[in-house]
Amino acid sequence: MKKVYSRPKYLKKVPMHYCPGCGHSIVAKLITELVEEMDIADRTICIPPAGCAVLLYNYFDFDCVESAHGRGGAIATAMKRVLPDRVIFTYQGDGDLAAIGTAETIHAANRGERFTTIFINNAVYGMTGGQMAPTTLFNQKTTTSQFGREMRRDGAPIKMSEMLATLDEGVAYIERTTVIDVPSIKKTKKAIKKAFQIQMDDIGFSLVEVLSPCPTNWKMNPLQSCKWIDEDMTKVFPLGVIKDITENKKVKEAVNAD
Amino acid sequence: MQIKTIFAGFGGQGVLMMGYTFAVAAMREDKIVTYLPSYGAEVRGGTANCTVAISDEEIASPIASSPEFIVVMNKPSLHSFQNKVQTGGILFLNSTLIDEDPSRGDIESIAIDAGDMAEGIGDARTANLIMLGAFIKKTNLVNIDAAIGGLGDIFEGKKKVIEMNSNALTIGYDSLK
Amino acid sequence: MRGNTVVGEAAIRAGCTCYFGYPITPQNELPEYMSRRLTEIEDGIFIQSESEISAINMVLGASVAGARVMTSSSSPGISLKQEGISFLCGDELPAVIVNMVRGGPGLGNISPAQSDYFQSTRGGGHGDYRTVVLAPASCQEMADLTMEAFDISDYYRNPVLILADGMLGQMMEPVTFENYKPRELPKKDYIIDGAKGRPSRFVRSLILNTKDMEEHNWKLMRKYKMITKNEIKCDEFMMDDAKIAVVAYGTAARIAKGAVKRARKEGLKVGLIRPITLWPYPSEVIKKWARSVSLFVVFEMSAGQMIEDVELSLKGSSEVYFYGRPGGVIPTPMELVKIISSQYYQKGF
């Protein structure tokens, strides 16, 4: 019999703690697949956040450094400066990246730090039990917006990717994807691969935002969650490439010249 | 022996440079020295001062609550510092900008027309080192050659500046008998 | 050299290759100096960060990647860094952190003060941890202690804090960098630089299992015990026949030394105990003198913080008197002489 699928080499053989239907486990698997395919395990460093993904280092069989809540961008900045030939990525949730760590994120991106950020947007604080996140949609009910998010009290869902894309040449690549079906998962993998490549080619800061289901805190089943992303979340956070300076001819030539 | 001096004036008069040049001269003579400038918001307001302590043994506090000497370059400094000089101490004042005498009788005061003398040599900014030259002559704390030699360290390679300032030191030095 | 630049040059000469910081008076000469010097050395990295919080986390990143790294700030900025310092301790990562203390609380002022003693010696952030705290009192000590701080920090894998103030930072005194004798240090086998030719590893402070977390805490405590055993530094001046011992550190100790000298000239038997490490605290030295000293005068440029360590050292065995000036006021030696002599005669020595 021909083996058509096997566990990614760099995904440790331990049970994951993620809830059923959670998007984290899919993205974690995609990353380990890419690390294997790109043959970069001995120089990859992950900086997991505070939040549901804090335990990523239990699953990844390559080097990891825990970050305080929101500080991944600062830690990655210094690590990449000290170790410029490593592949370094932060893995951050919406609270981590778009609330408590907004400054670190914006300034690392603006400096064009050569690391990659995987931004998991599930519109809610997962680990702490489903509070309102900076990316929570209008009218979405959470444990701290029990009658739904409203403008005057809570402000609008913040579009970090679009905001970051306005920064100058430091920001090389930003794409928003999701993981609700096979094509979208494939697209996410491709996007992360491209982001890693941009970092390795020394082009600039790269970020992949993944709209990711959180059935437990959304109080939906996994299928409803995927549908909600497809029908509601993508209206506020449209999928696709938001910025890509590698399309710029000059950058292409510079990279090819190496 | 431990001698403390406060140099005071307004920002731009080179008050810190005056104290620093003195400190460097003392260091060249192997004296133990501390140089403490005023800093931060204090200097942004326009007033500047620094304290130089020189000694032949370890200097405990670099701050001068009752210094032996005070050099004041403008009137506000005269008012804020004249009461600090210890009895029998000397107050040096820049008489170009200060048209009054100190209100104390228990100290000696020496007026130097430093501003005008600086104009005389074509650069008003050198009033500080003219003042310092006179200060060195009167106090004899360091040799004038040590101060002139120190300028080479302070203004590394800037020949014109060194020349101008050493000229100022000499003129100030020679202005007192 | 000016105190702030002395710290910078000492750091460079001790092999520091990374500096991260955010502007705040009265320590700006230090980052300014580092921004220039670090471009002159190979692998030198300088970033003016977007915040103090970011700076301390960059410090963590550089440290975990194996570099010698420093940050500096002044009181309010150090408050912001506390979370990161707690993480450095939990992760067991080395770093040198300089605090040019200013008057507080709040924005306070930029004058020299010693009101961050509690924050520095008690941890400052959350959790059971300690940072080594070194308190220089001269430009020369700024140089010596900064260089040694890197070795202590690397040896024990724990942040070291240099506690000075605006006066020490601004003051100029002649300095030599030749006193430094590098220590023999263990290989950095914990750093995160990619799992090449070795199993993958991670650095973290999250330990959800309470028993493991407790063991991690005890491990840190064992380390702190070792530091207490090996690293205490204290200066004693004219103590032999002293009836009154002034206890002071840093800038206050310089003022106190002046006061002690003057009091001696008046024939008063007064000495000075100057802790150089504020944590670990030289309790044994204080205790030792309790036999011959009748009164300990604790002198601080704060409303009274180190006095608690003096009292803890003495455990009631001797009388303690406090004199302090908070808020950035610089007391004069004469002021202290008056306190000393009035106590001296009141007690009938």
Side-chain angles (χ1 to χ4, degrees), chain C residues 292-326:
Chain C
S292 56
V293 166
S294 305
L295 179 70
F296 288 83
V297 174
V298 180
F299 171 55
E300 297 179 66
M301 283 153 64
S302 77
Q305 302 196 6
M306 183 180 71
I307 185 176
E308 292 194 1
D309 277 331
V310 175
E311 283 178 337
L312 280 170
S313 309
L314 291 168
K315 293 195 174 76
S317 67
S318 188
E319 206 182 328
V320 179
Y321 180 85
F322 176 74
Y323 182 67
R325 299 292 303 269

Side-chain angles (χ1 to χ4, degrees), chain A residues 12 41-45 54-55 57-58 60-69 71 74-75 77-79 81-83 86 103-104 107-108 111 113, chain C residues 18 20 45-47 50-51 53-54 57-58 60-62 64-65 67 83 87 91 191-196 198-206 208:
Chain A
K12 287 183 193 165
D42 62 355
R43 56 186 179 118
T44 299
I45 298 167
V54 68
L55 292 174
Y57 49 71
N58 285 342
F60 288 163
D61 194 8
F62 42 82
D63 278 10
C64 296
V65 180
E66 166 198 275
S67 155
H69 196 29
R71 314 300 165 220
I75 294 176
T77 292
M79 291 195 80
R81 298 271 187 126
V82 176
L83 305 165
R86 310 303 198 275
E104 282 80 356
H107 287 275
R111 288 189 300 264
E113 300 293 347
Chain C
C18 301
F20 308 102
I45 296 164
F46 171 91
I47 299 178
E50 56 274 16
S51 70
I53 299 171
S54 197
N57 283 282
M58 288 178 185
L60 191 149
V64 77
E83 178 202 39
F87 271 72
D91 288 347
I191 62 168
I192 297 297
D193 57 350
K196 193 169 193 167
R198 61 161 171 81
S200 65
R201 58 186 171 219
F202 49 80
V203 166
R204 55 100 163 82
S205 57
L206 175 84
L208 290 171

Side-chain angles (χ1 to χ4, degrees), chain C residues 16-256:
Chain C
C16 170
T17 55
C18 301
Y19 176 95
F20 308 102
Y22 187 86
I24 182 170
T25 309
Q27 58 85 55
N28 292 319
E29 293 82 6
L30 177 48
E32 284 164 7
Y33 186 78
M34 294 306 261
S35 73
R36 181 168 61 78
R37 274 297 264 131
L38 282 168
T39 58
E40 293 168 3
I41 64 165
E42 209 189 338
D43 302 328
I45 296 164
F46 171 91
I47 299 178
Q48 180 173 322
S49 60
E50 56 274 16
S51 70
E52 303 286 2
I53 299 171
S54 197
I56 193 71
N57 283 282
M58 288 178 185
V59 165
L60 191 149
S63 178
V64 77
R68 275 203 157 174
V69 55
M70 178 165 88
T71 183
S72 64
S73 189
S74 180
S75 309
I78 298 289
S79 294
L80 279 170
K81 289 187 201 290
Q82 292 302 332
E83 178 202 39
I85 295 173
S86 170
F87 271 72
L88 285 163
C89 288
D91 288 347
E92 294 195 79
L93 293 173
V96 174
I97 300 149
V98 182
N99 183 2
M100 295 293 171
V101 183
R102 50 194 259 178
L107 204 48
N109 60 30
I110 56 169
S111 289
Q114 299 186 321
S115 38
D116 295 357
Y117 183 91
F118 283 151
Q119 185 198 53
S120 316
T121 58
R122 265 57 179 172
H126 59 285
D128 263 329
Y129 75 86
R130 298 283 193 171
T131 50
V132 178
V133 185
L134 306 176
S138 66
C139 285
Q140 186 57 53
E141 263 189 4
M142 301 264 256
D144 298 343
L145 293 177
T146 299
M147 293 171 101
E148 206 180 348
F150 282 96
D151 281 3
I152 295 174
S153 177
D154 271 343
Y155 188 84
Y156 298 101
R157 287 177 57 186
N158 201 75
V160 175
L161 210 78
I162 293 172
L163 199 67
D165 58 48
M167 193 173 102
L168 287 163
Q170 295 298 325
M171 193 167 69
M172 282 192 201
E173 287 177 315
V175 157
T176 168
F177 295 100
E178 307 301 321
N179 299 344
Y180 173 53
K181 288 179 195 70
R183 296 188 190 191
E184 227 172 276
L185 296 170
K187 208 172 157 269
K188 291 187 174 182
D189 57 1
Y190 56 88
I191 62 168
I192 297 297
D193 57 350
K196 193 169 193 167
R198 61 161 171 81
S200 65
R201 58 186 171 219
F202 49 80
V203 166
R204 55 100 163 82
S205 57
L206 175 84
I207 304 170
L208 290 171
N209 179 309
T210 51
K211 267 187 103 176
D212 293 348
M213 189 72 229
E214 186 188 25
E215 182 39 45
H216 180 60
N217 270 285
W218 289 131
K219 185 187 160 205
L220 294 180
M221 290 306 131
R222 286 193 291 276
K223 183 165 85 176
Y224 296 146
K225 235 183 202 165
M226 207 159 86
I227 298 175
T228 306
K229 196 174 144 221
N230 299 336
E231 303 297 342
I232 287 176
K233 276 193 183 60
C234 184
D235 192 28
E236 295 155 57
F237 178 68
M238 292 192 155
M239 281 300 295
D240 283 341
D241 59 344
K243 298 247 183 275
I244 288 184
V246 180
V247 188
Y249 70 93
T251 293
R254 284 185 80 123
I255 297 165

Side-chain angles (χ1 to χ4, degrees), chain A residues 50-52 69 93-101 122-136 140 142-144 214 217-218:
Chain A
C52 287
H69 196 29
D94 38 53
D96 194 274
L97 177 132
I100 198 165
N122 58 15
V124 81
Y125 281 80
M127 179 79 125
T128 46
Q131 293 82 4
M132 182 180 69
T135 51
T136 294
Q140 186 186 338
T142 70
T143 59
T144 51
C214 181
N217 285 308
W218 292 354

